[in-house]
Amino acid sequence: MNQTLRINGERLWSRLEEIGQIGATAGGGCNRQALTDEDQAGRALFAGWCEAAGCTLRTDAIGNVFARREGTDPSLPPVITGSHLDTQPSGGKYDGIYGVLAGLEVIESLNEAGVQTRHPLEVVVWTNEEGCRFDTAMMGSAVWSGTMSLDDAYALTDRNGASVHDELIRTAQLGEAPAKAGAIHAAFELHIEQGPVLEAEALEIGVVTGVQHMSRHRVIFYGQEAHAGPTPMTLRKDPMMALGQCLPRLYAMAEEHGPDSRITFGFVHASPGSSNTVPGKLEFTVDIRHPEASHYQAMLDSYETIIQEAAKDFGLEMEFECFWEAPGVTFDADCIDAVQESVNALGYSHRRMVSGAGHDACNVAKVAPTSMIFIPCKDGLSHNEKEAILAEHATAGANILLNAMAARAEVIA
Ligand SMILES: [Zn+2]
């Protein structure tokens, strides 16, 4: 493609503001949790815009909404883009919403430019990405990609006992289309970064090449409770000493794996929790992440060695387990190239990066060639009413989405 297309940044921004009024919170954010009245109202607003743009809409059995712009060859698999319209209870106005409305903006911009594509285009609203009201994040895309069964999703309940199935019916979001991926030619998700890297480097676009490998571990050291006064330091079985040996070694180990490694100790609990008793039991969690599989695996191996050595050195019994793991995702090379070529053509400042958070695109990537685009957000904040982006970054990201989708969907000359 030798022409660069442009979206209408003012229209995109005004729609972000308009949909942000639904479930608006006093702190300037949004509370539009999945399958609430507010979510239904947000989806209805979106659907109205899509119909006015000439799209045909379909909803599947888990409430995912697909707005389709036909290609010149309707038999070809679509190029899709999607994200979510639901928010956290005290969420922002852009996490997810931006990617959905930018997808609609792609369609409107092609309509106005009179540009046809061989492949159809679809904009998807994935149901319950946030996983706060119903405790499974990325639920709609998980069902669609075959990662989660429809029945398991239907059976999830909120704190008041309302099930996903009941709430799909109540909010008129239970569609007839099967919640199952068909053939997809290419998929993109445009999202705010939710981290501080692009802003810190004053860059406009993140060309996202994958999602990092991540896992969470629980370690318990068993020592011996003893009086803090009479018990000499050398005669203790003190699990806190073992932790004291582990922490600098684990931080140093993470550092050896470069700037992309992450290690976090978010929970530490000593029992019995008395200031003048040597703890008999110490429990802590370790969150380990790395974008590259070889480094990630090496970090896991080193972590085990380090904690086992500490237990041995201090004569402690121990237990450890991995209680959560999400394998990393490497995005599709052609989709990444389509984003990179759009960035080059439009001249935006950019870098390649991996996502630190999970997204619907992780599920989509299991069944379709997929990649993501990031724009900066203020102070890296997200899942926060203060979440903020600049209008020019919103425009830049949507321009990249437009050109990447148009390229993969094959513009008719
Ligand atoms: Zn999101």
Side-chain angles (χ1 to χ4, degrees), residues 160-246:
N160 299 319
S163 73
V164 164
H165 190 252
D166 291 344
E167 290 296 274
L168 282 167
I169 293 169
R170 190 187 66 78
T171 59
Q173 304 298 313
L174 183 70
E176 287 174 358
K180 192 175 184 324
I184 303 291
H185 187 59
F188 297 94
E189 182 169 358
L190 171 61
H191 206 281
I192 63 169
E193 181 196 344
Q194 301 181 287
V197 174
L198 291 174
E199 184 183 57
E201 298 181 7
L203 299 174
E204 295 163 298
I205 296 291
V207 178
V208 186
T209 56
V211 179
Q212 64 188 352
H213 302 263
M214 39 192 142
S215 55
R216 297 176 198 158
H217 309 261
R218 184 175 0 263
V219 182
I220 304 175
F221 287 144
Y222 294 97
Q224 188 168 52
E225 290 173 26
H227 196 297
T231 321
M233 302 303 285
T234 51
L235 297 180
R236 296 181 179 193
K237 283 193 170 180
D238 184 351
M240 196 61 80
M241 290 182 181
L243 181 64
Q245 174 175 306
C246 283

Side-chain angles (χ1 to χ4, degrees), residues 132-144:
C132 45
R133 181 181 177 204
F134 302 101
D135 190 11
T136 294
M138 302 170 262
M139 180 192 79
S141 57
V143 171
W144 178 84

Side-chain angles (χ1 to χ4, degrees), residues 83-84 86 94-97 129-130 189 191-192 194 358-360 382-383:
S83 199
H84 56 100
D86 68 319
Y94 309 104
D95 171 3
I97 299 107
E129 191 278 344
E130 293 291 0
E189 182 169 358
H191 206 281
I192 63 169
Q194 301 181 287
H359 292 285
D360 289 309
S382 177
H383 289 196

Side-chain angles (χ1 to χ4, degrees), residues 364-387:
V364 176
K366 291 171 186 163
V367 292
T370 302
S371 81
M372 290 189 75
I373 306 157
F374 280 169
I375 62 161
C377 55
K378 189 169 185 313
D379 301 327
L381 276 184
S382 177
H383 289 196
N384 188 312
E385 292 171 295
K386 300 218 162 19
E387 187 182 275

Side-chain angles (χ1 to χ4, degrees), residues 240 268-274 279-283:
M240 196 61 80
V268 179
H269 182 76
S271 304
S274 162
K281 179 181 171 188
L282 180 73
E283 180 177 340

